């Protein structure tokens, strides 16, 4: 459709053919060509300074949806929304640990920990917007394909909204914490005998033919919510962008969201220059890294295999949007082996922060980029930790208790008799002094 006069606040457009659709259109793809949709907003009717002041006023302490780290930015997320389904979510910290600076080889690494969201991953930021939109258009039911975190998040927000939820996950391929959440929040959970890419195909067919509203990250409203990882980060940095933002890349929804957030923030005067994106995949699931190495000459599809189940995706749905994000930010795409990402994860965990396996590709990837001279040690880097350490307890227990020989940093538990002398023996044998565990400089000061 074409708009004759004043445009509405927001509408949908196809990134392939430019076809425009109204904001309330429930289709998950362009109805003309099947391309990916993107939300367009009329530029906010405020100066950048006024906009920033409004975001600052809303930060912290407010009751209701304004307390949300997503809806605080509603002028550039979903300006036409009046009632929203919010937990609230967001407001995640930027963390610093000296030990991780040295592990990666940089001087100033900050970790934006999205595992602090209500269901333990960044998916909540997209889901609050997606489920809000589902309510606004009167969807009868919502659905997604998932490697686990989208399912957990959809299940929670659909429960809050009173909407039936259907989730499709690969049988035997979901981390325990995520499957447990989906069941507990009450989603109808289908264990599909296939991989994530099979689940994705099936979910798209179900949305087209059975009329359920699809809430995978091909849904452009989820992308709008995930943009707020960037907006909140920029706000935390007083709108002074870092040099690099490093993130894990699976289905590429987040890579796409980061690119769109940065593009709009620059266009609307919130920032003056763009940071560079570094998207990191697991080596066994790296079709996007492969395309990047060929200057995006063509799209690749692989059979995915990695311990990082959240990014175990062979045919990323948001490929076209993500190419734009990497190109516009002069970004890079790389991959790390499972051994490297698990070593990085052990370092993040041992620093007291902790994250799920997929999140740790950021630190492993950053070390690569420093070693190869792409990132300079003095540059300011933000790594996005996408999920909580307790999402995948199975992997943790295998790593620390079971693997032979014990991998780097494995912390074996010791079974003892109920006898004080046994504790004494352990203390004598191990140097449990504070020096080994508390690197200088991680104390907080007032
Ligand atoms: C979903 C997810 C990712 C991958 O994000 P994409 O948008 O699919 O690229 C990475 N880490 C965690 C923990 C996730 O839940």
């Amino acid at each position: 459709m074409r708009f004759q006069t004043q445009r509405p606040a927001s509408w949908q457009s196809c990134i392939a053919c430019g076809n425009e659709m109204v904001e309330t259109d429930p289709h998950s793809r362009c109805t003309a060509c099947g391309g990916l949709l993107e939300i367009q907003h009329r530029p906010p009717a405020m100066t950048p300074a006024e906009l920033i002041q409004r975001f600052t006023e809303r930060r912290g302490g407010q009751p209701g949806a304004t307390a949300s780290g997503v809806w605080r930015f509603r002028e550039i997320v979903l300006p036409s929304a009046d009632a929203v389904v919010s937990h609230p979510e967001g407001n995640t910290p930027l963390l610093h640990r000296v030990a991780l600076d040295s592990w990666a080889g940089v001087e100033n690494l900050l970790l934006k920990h999205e595992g602090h969201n209500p269901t333990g991953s960044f998916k909540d930021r997209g889901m609050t917007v997606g489920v809000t939109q589902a309510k606004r258009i009167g969807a009868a039911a919502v659905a997604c394909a998932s490697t686990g975190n989208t399912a957990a998040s959809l299940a929670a927000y659909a429960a809050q909204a009173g909407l039936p939820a259907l989730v499709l996950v690969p049988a035997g391929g979901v981390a325990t914490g995520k499957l447990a959440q989906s069941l507990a929040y009450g989603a109808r959970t289908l264990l599909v005998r296939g991989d994530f890419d099979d689940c994705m195909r099936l979910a798209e067919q179900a949305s087209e033919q059975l009329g359920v509203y699809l809430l995978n990250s091909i849904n452009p409203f989820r992308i709008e919510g995930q943009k707020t990882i960037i907006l909140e980060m920029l706000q935390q940095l007083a709108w002074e962008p870092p040099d690099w933002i490093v993130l894990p890349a699976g289905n590429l929804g987040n890579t796409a969201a980061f690119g769109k957030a940065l593009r709009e923030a620059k266009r609307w005067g919130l920032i003056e220059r763009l940071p560079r994106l570094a998207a990191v995949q697991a080596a066994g699931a790296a079709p996007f890294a492969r395309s990047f190495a060929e200057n995006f000459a063509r799209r690749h599809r692989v059979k995915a295999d990695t311990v990082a189940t959240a990014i175990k995706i062979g045919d990323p749905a948001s490929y076209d949007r993500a190419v734009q994000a990497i190109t516009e930010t002069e970004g890079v795409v790389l991959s790390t082996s499972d051994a490297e990402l698990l070593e990085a994860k052990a370092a993040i965990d041992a620093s007291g922060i902790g994250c799920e396996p997929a999140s740790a590709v950021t630190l492993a990837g950053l070390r690569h980029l420093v070693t190869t001279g792409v990132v300079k040690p003095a540059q300011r880097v933000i790594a996005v930790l996408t999920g909580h350490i307790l999402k995948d307890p199975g992997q943790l227990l295998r790593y620390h208790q079971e693997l032979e020989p014990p991998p780097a940093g494995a912390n074996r538990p010791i079974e003892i008799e109920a006898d004080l002398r046994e504790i004494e023996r352990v203390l004598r044998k191990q140097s449990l002094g504070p020096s080994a565990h508390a690197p200088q400089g991680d104390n907080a000061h007032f």
Side-chain angles (χ1 to χ4, degrees):
M1 57 160 293
R2 293 277 151 199
F3 300 105
Q4 300 303 317
T5 53
Q6 168 84 315
R7 283 179 175 275
S10 310
W11 63 98
Q12 308 188 55
S13 75
C14 173
I15 71 162
C17 75
N19 178 42
E20 294 186 345
M21 292 157 55
V22 293
E23 187 184 19
T24 48
D25 191 300
H27 290 93
S28 53
R29 288 178 178 275
C30 172
T31 47
C33 79
L36 292 171
L37 296 170
E38 184 169 82
I39 307 299
Q40 303 289 345
H41 301 296
R42 210 163 58 209
M46 270 180 268
T47 66
E50 287 167 342
L51 205 52
I52 285 174
Q53 194 193 339
R54 180 168 292 192
F55 296 156
T56 307
E57 285 163 3
R58 288 187 190 144
R59 193 174 168 189
Q62 311 248 4
T66 308
S68 161
V70 172
W71 297 106
R72 175 158 82 243
F73 304 102
R74 62 177 176 269
E75 283 80 0
I76 42 187
V77 170
L78 196 61
S80 58
D82 36 26
V84 301
V85 184
S86 172
H87 193 97
E89 47 289 309
N91 297 308
T92 60
L94 278 180
L95 307 172
H96 178 247
R97 293 293 181 274
V98 172
L100 299 181
D101 281 353
S102 22
W103 198 94
V106 293
E107 289 158 24
N108 189 4
L109 169 65
L110 293 174
L111 302 151
K112 178 125 179 94
H113 205 326
E114 289 295 305
H116 287 235
N117 271 292
T119 76
S121 83
F122 73 82
K123 299 299 196 299
D124 294 337
R125 290 189 187 257
M127 210 50 84
T128 180
V129 183
V131 170
T132 291
Q133 183 65 10
K135 286 292 268 190
R136 293 171 90 205
I137 65 170
V142 289
C144 72
S146 176
T147 61
N149 280 334
T150 300
S153 185
L154 178 63
Y157 281 87
Q160 185 178 350
L163 281 171
L166 182 70
V167 306
L168 284 73
V169 297
V174 183
T176 326
K178 306 175 187 183
L179 181 59
Q181 284 179 293
S182 295
L183 300 175
Y185 294 132
R188 176 60 66 205
T189 303
L190 304 183
L191 306 176
V192 178
R193 295 185 197 110
D195 60 13
F196 170 81
D197 300 292
D198 296 320
C199 295
M200 186 71 228
R201 253 190 313 279
L202 213 53
E204 280 213 50
Q205 287 166 5
S207 92
E208 275 160 31
Q209 292 169 35
L210 310 176
V212 290
Y213 188 59
L214 188 65
L215 276 171
N216 272 93
S217 59
I218 68 163
N219 183 308
F221 293 93
R222 278 200 41 204
I223 302 287
E224 291 307 291
Q226 288 173 207
K227 285 188 330 194
T228 64
I229 302 172
I230 293 290
L231 295 170
E232 189 176 273
M233 173 196 300
L234 291 171
Q235 186 177 36
Q236 286 166 310
L237 299 173
W239 305 94
E240 185 54 54
D243 297 301
W244 287 93
I245 298 171
V246 189
L247 79 159
N251 215 18
L252 302 180
N254 230 14
T255 307
F258 284 22
K260 186 168 192 275
L262 291 168
R263 187 188 325 143
E264 291 173 348
K266 181 142 185 288
R267 185 188 301 153
W268 296 333
L270 299 174
I271 53 172
E272 280 166 12
R273 67 176 177 82
L274 293 178
R276 298 177 70 183
L277 291 179
V280 191
Q281 300 204 285
F288 190 49
R290 204 163 141 196
S291 295
F292 173 77
E294 301 167 356
N295 282 317
F296 296 125
R298 71 187 193 91
R299 180 172 177 169
H300 289 280
R301 292 171 177 81
V302 303
K303 183 89 186 144
D305 184 23
T306 167
V307 289
T309 51
I311 51 174
K312 188 178 168 184
I313 294 168
D315 184 14
S318 284
Y319 175 84
D320 294 327
R321 293 168 176 153
V323 170
Q324 191 185 357
I326 295 298
T327 309
E328 285 183 359
T329 62
E330 293 178 60
V332 297
V333 189
L334 67 159
S335 66
T336 71
S337 71
D338 278 6
E340 289 168 319
L341 77 87
L342 287 177
E343 192 193 334
K345 176 178 151 51
I348 295 167
D349 293 353
S351 80
I353 291 178
C355 65
E356 69 164 281
S359 309
V361 297
T362 53
L363 188 68
L366 176 59
R367 185 160 76 174
H368 263 291
L369 292 170
V370 173
T371 311
T372 51
V374 179
V375 172
K376 307 283 179 276
Q379 287 188 307
R380 295 163 69 228
V381 184
I382 310 257
V384 178
L385 299 182
T386 43
H388 196 278
I389 185 173
L390 288 177
K391 285 287 191 173
D392 196 348
Q395 181 278 326
L396 284 169
L397 295 178
R398 263 193 311 282
Y399 193 85
H400 291 287
Q401 294 199 134
E402 289 167 24
L403 282 184
E404 284 297 348
N411 181 19
R412 288 279 155 102
I414 305 161
E415 193 169 322
I416 60 164
E417 298 301 332
D419 183 341
L420 183 63
R421 279 169 305 179
E422 292 232 30
I423 300 181
E424 243 182 312
R425 205 165 21 246
V426 171
L427 285 177
R428 236 181 289 120
K429 213 153 76 194
Q430 315 211 326
S431 63
L432 288 178
S435 58
H437 290 277
Q440 297 293 300
D442 282 339
N443 299 326
H445 299 281
F446 293 104

